[in-house]
Amino acid sequence: MVDLDSEVPPLPPRYRFRDLLLGDQGWQSDDRVQVEFYMNENTFKERLKLFFIKNQRSSLRIRLFNFSLKLLSCFLYIIRVLLDDPTQGLGWSPIIWVNRSLPLWGLQVSVALISLLETLLLSYLSYKGNIWEQILRIPFLLEIINAVPFIITIFWPVLRNLFIPVFLNCWLAKHALENMINDLHRAIQRTQSAMFNQVLILISTLLCLIFTCICGIQHLERAGNRLTLFDSLYFCIVTFSTVGFGDVTPKIWPSKLLVVIMICVALVVLPIQFEQLAYLWMERQKSGGNYSRHRAQTEKHVVLCVSSLKIDLLMDFLNEFYAHPRLQDYYVVILCPTEMDAQVRRVLQIPMWSQRVIYLQGSALKDQDLLRAKMDDAEACFILSSRCEVDRTAADHQTILRAWAVKDFAPNCPLYVQILKPENKFHIKFADHVVCEEEFKYAMLALNCICPATSTLITLLVHTSRGQESQQSPEQWQKMYGRCSGNEVYHINLEESTFFAEYEGKSFTYASFHAHKKFGVCLIGVRKEDNKNILLNPGPRHIMSSTDVCFYINITKEENSAFKKQEKHRKKHESKLSYHGPSRLPVHSIIASMGTVAMDLQDTGCRTSSGPTLALPSEGGKEGRRPSIAPVLELADSSSLQTCDLLSDQSEDETTPSDDEVSAGSEYAKGYPPYSPYIGSSPTFCHLLHEKVPFCCLRLDKGCQHNYYEDAKAYGFKNKLIIVAAETAGNGLYNFIVPLRAYYRPKKELNPIVLLLDNPLDDLLRCGVTFAANMVVVDKESTMSAEEDYMADAKTIVNVQTLFRLFSSLSIITELTHPANMRFMQFRAKDCYSLALSKLEKKEREKGSNLAFMFRLPFAAGRVFSISMLDTLLYQSFVKDYMISITRLLLGLDTTPGSGFLCSMKITEEDLWIRTYARLYQKLCSSTGDIPIGVYRTESQKLTTSESQISISVEEWEDTKDTKEQISYRSNHRNSTSSDQSDHPLLRRKSMQWARRLSRRVPRHSGKTAEKINQQRMNLYRRSERQELAELVKNRMKHLGLSPAGYDEMNDHQNTLSYILINPSPDTRLELNDIVYLIRPDPLAYVPNTAPSRKDSFCNTVGQDTREETQL
């Protein structure tokens, strides 16, 4: 058997009791040297100091014991007063001598002895070379006064009944309490607020003053009125409260002197304490205090971290966050390093927000401030970047550090982060939800060029609204636009849904069409149970499953909808049906809360192959016959699926392409971009050139050895240009180019992109602004920081207004920093209609609308948007965690296999036979599998005459031969330009001066010459602003060697207004030039068996103007 003693090594001598008693013999024979550390702490004094002072927990116990002794001594004094009989003495003797029983004397002596020894020991341990500093301290002197006389009575029994002011121990108890609170903070590593400490000191000071005055008056009046403790308490309260009834008053002069002294002390000490308390209260109001741990554990709260809090950002967050019913009980804790400004302070004092919003001044990089905000208990943390900073990269760096600090402190807290630059996005990849501003900004600008007003569509979808805006307006377009703006994206499980449960096992397009027909909801996407990716319009081949999560657009979610069956409508509809097959779906006409009425379409049940089919009538058919539409099948049939012209263009028109198309198609290849500008960009399949273009050829205005073109017109582009005016060519432009070069866009519709880094007039004319489809103006980063916040957009607004005046029909798309500045886009000073819209916006804002700016014509038409409006996308993600993913899919920032994409088509005269939006929905679902989600409508605008509406060519003014034309023209011109001349006196004055100089230089001997000069003078006098601008641009184009032929067409500006109808009701009638937003299924999801027919006018995209073609 193995000897266990030989296997187990002996314990070190420090841990064996035998070696502690006998010493370690083994260490003597060992060559090793034992080193003892911290030898200075092994002395007796250092060990006492460690126990009494340095160690927080033991020091706290000592101070608590000292505090208890002082309270005990005060309690014994009160007992002595109650047991004493003041009537036994005469004269002043009751003041000097008291009656103290032996047991009470013994207790007081014991307490005094312990207190004195403790005080001497602490003084010895705290001694640092100056003994007088220790002796002359007020606590030490009070301890000597209260304890030494009791020690003397031990050796001199005659003095046992001597009066000793033991009640002064209350001040020592106050001092011990302050030290005890400090040690308590050190021991538990937790700091209470300075306000708590100051309030505690104030209360203890007041109690000590009152207690001292009570005991002093009672003792001195032993020789006078012989007051009891209660009488003395009554007198002190009445005196300190400045009431002074006078029924109890001091009689002898010592008590009167004490009252005077105590009042003077109170008048000096208490104001100082109150001043410090008021100062701390003001500082607390600035810093915000703390969010208590109890509230954090019993209530739900979110934390908003910002570098600077502006009133617009705060109100956008609060309005959007509290727009959801289930968030009404949440609290918002704002953590900001700057002091709260006056506007924010006034808003947070409103009762609606004062009970919900807590402002804390602090930094997210400090654990102490994160602890104040109870970040570890928060439901979410929103970290927003400061977009008004001059250096946006530095702002992103601050955001990244805040995100890291929050993740380190509270790893389980969900993070919602806003970043500005896309190249910084990979640093915060761990965040639950990230919104990159430049990604979304450039993607929306790009889609605005090919799908008009995409920015307005996305903005309305991510804002919470009930669709009540402008419902009292007399204008019909405002009612429709306001009601449809309330549509949002919601989700529900199919098996739990009333909308979609009956479509289990049916195709996606079948479910989408019938749900819209019956309930007015637009099913746009699904998410399968075993896949986290959202699929927008997966196509007719997707079969709905009970576990699918359905995403739909509606005024309100299904849980808040009321359903009513219309039996009469149902019976009437059933009597009209000519086919009653077993698979026919009865139409219940169930109406959702949005109030739309389901359309009574033809029988939409599945028909057999031998049954009648709905198809477009042939050319030889009866002219009076109404065209029919094929039914939407429950299950996809490859023979019935048609693909639109764009889908067939995936092989670049294999049918019979022309020579130009062959040459154009040979330049491009489909693939992924070889280089990514930043980490985290989503790879997109797009059109690429076969060979990389040399860098020298990218300069449009300068020739090189490969080509000699110096302007855009010399290149002979077949499609219209898209001009991007930006300050720098940043990485965000990648998200602008990729959607315009996506694989699903036909090659013949690819627009050339011109990047204009500076926009003087000469460069604008060289880059082809006169024949550009769109001009995109990106807000300049260098001007985003201004002394006045709202002036950050000043340069961009004025530049765009200049472009609008020079090229009135140019489609200008602008991005601004502040949504409030959108009212200055295409500003018309005397436009009555714009003034009426301004009043409407004010009324909607007074009603509490979150979309008061939506009725501004530039925003409604998609000409301008503010990226700050997309902040609500991040806020909505707290309730709808899918909103960022859906928005990225709609904008083309992410591409998921099997997921559709956003495109548009234009309603032509050949398509008006469809008549209603419901029939359009059926036509799309039954033919191409597209899902319409909205309509972009343009109407003629009836406005009063303003300076921007006047467009008269200069050539007509130069023609003076026809007298009749002159007379009629002059009269018309007087009426149309009177406001112009009055609005621009400077231009008029310069024209007159020029005409006078011209008339003085020419000799007057010829009558014909004088008449001609006089005519020119009158013409110059009557010239309008439009003519001067047109002449300026034409002269500049001639100087640059450019032909001004296309500029006159640009000035044919028509007064129109455009707006969006998101998910309109099925009975909405289609109008000419309506642009329908479509979510088209992924062309790569399946390959059609047969080539599509080009005879269908509905899918026809042949045209000269790309804006009239089916987009994307």
Side-chain angles (χ1 to χ4, degrees), residues 700 710-717 721 754 765-769 771 1042:
L700 183 142
E710 293 186 354
D711 60 83
K713 194 169 186 179
Y715 283 82
F717 295 121
L721 302 174
V754 178
L765 296 175
R766 286 195 185 98
C767 70
V769 69
F771 53 91
L1042 303 175

Side-chain angles (χ1 to χ4, degrees), residues 727-961:
E727 188 175 27
T728 57
N731 293 330
L733 280 174
Y734 173 82
N735 299 292
F736 181 87
I737 298 173
V738 166
L740 298 177
R741 295 293 182 265
Y743 73 96
Y744 43 76
R745 296 206 66 218
K747 296 176 184 177
K748 63 182 180 181
E749 293 186 4
L750 299 181
N751 300 89
I753 303 173
V754 178
L755 177 61
L756 184 63
L757 298 182
D758 199 2
N759 55 354
L761 182 59
D762 292 356
D763 292 340
L764 282 171
L765 296 175
R766 286 195 185 98
C767 70
V769 69
T770 56
F771 53 91
N774 294 280
M775 181 164 183
V776 178
V777 180
V778 183
D779 201 6
K780 303 293 189 294
E781 295 182 7
S782 60
T783 62
M784 286 183 179
S785 178
E787 294 182 359
E788 186 178 349
D789 293 337
Y790 291 93
M791 286 296 177
D793 298 318
K795 185 176 180 181
T796 301
I797 292 173
V798 174
N799 288 342
V800 172
Q801 185 72 1
T802 303
L803 291 174
F804 174 65
R805 292 295 183 90
L806 293 176
F807 312 99
S808 57
S809 63
L810 176 63
S811 177
I812 307 173
I813 304 170
T814 316
E815 177 263 332
L816 299 178
T817 302
H818 297 284
N821 291 333
M822 290 191 300
R823 65 184 187 273
F824 301 121
M825 302 308 300
Q826 302 180 7
F827 185 72
R828 298 169 179 176
K830 292 192 175 182
D831 191 343
C832 297
Y833 197 76
S834 298
L835 296 177
L837 292 178
S838 176
K839 295 180 180 178
L840 177 62
E841 178 181 350
K842 295 175 182 177
K843 291 181 180 178
E844 294 298 331
R845 185 177 290 108
E846 291 175 357
K847 294 179 181 178
S849 172
N850 298 339
L851 298 170
F853 51 81
M854 62 177 289
F855 295 101
R856 292 287 183 174
L857 295 183
F859 173 78
R863 304 299 184 194
V864 62
F865 73 96
S866 174
I867 195 61
S868 64
M869 294 186 296
L870 277 186
D871 291 345
T872 57
L873 176 63
L874 191 67
Y875 312 152
Q876 273 205 2
S877 298
F878 181 66
V879 177
K880 305 175 183 177
D881 57 354
Y882 49 83
M883 278 305 300
I884 294 179
S885 300
I886 289 180
T887 306
R888 292 182 66 89
L889 289 173
L890 287 175
L891 295 177
L893 292 173
D894 290 338
T895 54
T896 303
S899 179
F901 57 91
L902 181 66
C903 61
S904 64
M905 57 159 292
K906 193 169 187 177
I907 300 296
T908 62
E909 292 184 358
E910 298 177 354
D911 301 323
L912 290 179
W913 63 270
I914 301 175
R915 296 193 310 279
T916 62
Y917 186 77
R919 290 170 57 83
L920 171 68
Y921 211 118
Q922 181 181 0
K923 174 62 180 174
L924 289 170
C925 291
S926 62
S927 58
T928 60
D930 298 343
I931 302 296
I933 62 173
V935 176
Y936 178 76
R937 178 161 294 176
T938 302
E939 298 178 354
S940 60
Q941 182 182 3
K942 297 180 181 179
L943 300 180
T944 58
T945 304
S946 64
E947 73 273 7
S948 62
Q949 302 173 31
I950 301 165
S951 177
I952 304 175
S953 60
V954 181
E955 286 78 5
E956 293 180 354
W957 283 93
E958 294 178 353
D959 187 10
T960 60
K961 295 181 180 179

Side-chain angles (χ1 to χ4, degrees), residues 1062-1082:
I1062 303 176
N1063 187 28
S1065 60
D1067 58 344
T1068 302
R1069 298 195 64 85
L1070 298 178
E1071 297 181 2
L1072 185 63
N1073 296 327
D1074 278 353
I1075 297 177
V1076 182
Y1077 297 100
L1078 308 174
I1079 299 181
R1080 182 159 293 163
D1082 186 6

Side-chain angles (χ1 to χ4, degrees), residues 38 40-62 122 125 186:
Y38 302 106
N40 61 327
E41 294 185 358
N42 291 333
T43 62
F44 180 72
K45 180 179 179 180
E46 289 298 329
R47 290 185 179 182
L48 289 177
K49 185 182 294 187
L50 181 65
F51 180 78
F52 281 92
I53 299 177
K54 293 183 178 180
N55 187 276
Q56 292 92 348
R57 295 186 180 277
S58 60
S59 175
L60 177 62
R61 297 189 187 100
I62 296 297
L122 291 177
L125 297 177
R186 289 193 305 162

Side-chain angles (χ1 to χ4, degrees), residues 375-640:
M375 185 69 73
D376 50 344
D377 294 325
E379 299 294 324
C381 176
F382 295 89
I383 302 178
L384 305 183
S385 297
S386 177
R387 61 171 54 91
C388 295
E389 293 289 338
V390 178
D391 190 353
R392 294 166 69 85
T393 302
D396 274 352
H397 294 169
Q398 297 176 12
T399 302
I400 292 169
L401 286 183
R402 290 191 181 96
W404 288 354
V406 172
K407 194 65 178 179
D408 177 71
F409 182 84
N412 296 325
C413 180
L415 281 178
Y416 297 77
V417 184
Q418 178 195 70
I419 206 77
L420 301 179
K421 294 283 189 178
E423 57 267 25
N424 298 322
K425 192 172 65 171
F426 77 101
H427 290 294
I428 53 173
K429 191 177 180 180
F430 56 85
D432 298 82
H433 299 277
V434 179
V435 172
C436 181
E437 181 177 299
E438 286 197 3
E439 274 189 340
F440 284 87
K441 175 177 71 176
Y442 282 105
M444 286 198 299
L445 290 173
L447 282 182
N448 271 355
C449 298
I450 50 182
C451 294
T454 302
S455 59
T456 304
L457 172 69
I458 298 298
T459 301
L460 295 179
L461 281 178
V462 301
H463 271 78
T464 301
S465 172
R466 300 184 62 183
Q468 302 296 325
E469 284 80 5
S470 190
Q471 292 307 296
Q472 305 299 326
S473 174
E475 303 250 0
Q476 185 63 27
W477 78 269
Q478 294 177 1
K479 291 183 179 180
M480 297 176 59
Y481 176 49
R483 182 174 65 252
C484 293
S485 67
N487 283 277
E488 298 179 49
V489 181
Y490 299 100
H491 76 291
I492 193 171
N493 292 329
L494 186 138
E495 58 184 354
E496 302 173 358
S497 172
T498 306
F499 289 157
F500 313 111
E502 59 183 299
Y503 307 121
E504 181 181 353
K506 311 294 177 58
S507 66
F508 177 83
T509 51
Y510 182 89
S512 180
F513 164 67
H514 283 278
H516 183 268
K517 173 186 173 183
K518 297 173 64 175
F519 303 103
V521 300
C522 179
L523 178 64
I524 62 172
V526 294
R527 181 174 59 199
K528 302 187 75 65
E529 183 182 20
D530 55 349
N531 193 351
K532 294 183 179 180
N533 294 327
I534 298 175
L535 301 179
L536 295 181
N537 187 11
R541 297 182 183 274
H542 177 86
I543 306 302
M544 304 295 289
S545 173
S546 61
T547 58
D548 286 351
V549 178
C550 302
F551 299 93
Y552 61 95
I553 298 177
N554 195 18
I555 289 286
T556 182
K557 59 183 179 179
E558 181 180 326
E559 293 83 351
N560 298 337
S561 302
F563 301 94
K564 298 179 181 180
K565 294 183 180 181
Q566 294 182 354
E567 296 295 339
K568 295 182 180 180
H569 186 277
R570 175 182 176 183
K571 292 178 180 180
K572 182 180 178 181
H573 179 72
E574 289 180 352
S575 64
K576 290 184 178 181
L577 293 177
S578 60
Y579 176 75
H580 302 278
S583 61
R584 178 181 56 82
L585 268 176
V587 180
H588 296 286
S589 298
I590 304 176
I591 302 174
S593 61
M594 63 180 289
T596 56
V597 180
M599 286 302 296
D600 180 14
L601 299 184
Q602 301 182 19
D603 182 17
T604 57
C606 288
R607 304 172 186 265
T608 60
S609 59
S610 61
T613 59
L614 297 174
L616 285 174
S618 60
E619 295 179 1
K622 297 181 181 180
E623 296 180 359
R625 179 184 175 184
R626 188 178 69 177
S628 57
I629 304 174
V632 183
L633 301 181
E634 294 183 2
L635 299 177
D637 185 3
S638 60
S639 62
S640 63

Side-chain angles (χ1 to χ4, degrees), residues 636-648:
D637 185 3
S638 60
S639 62
S640 63
L641 283 177
Q642 300 178 15
T643 54
C644 193
D645 189 35
L646 291 180
L647 186 56
S648 65

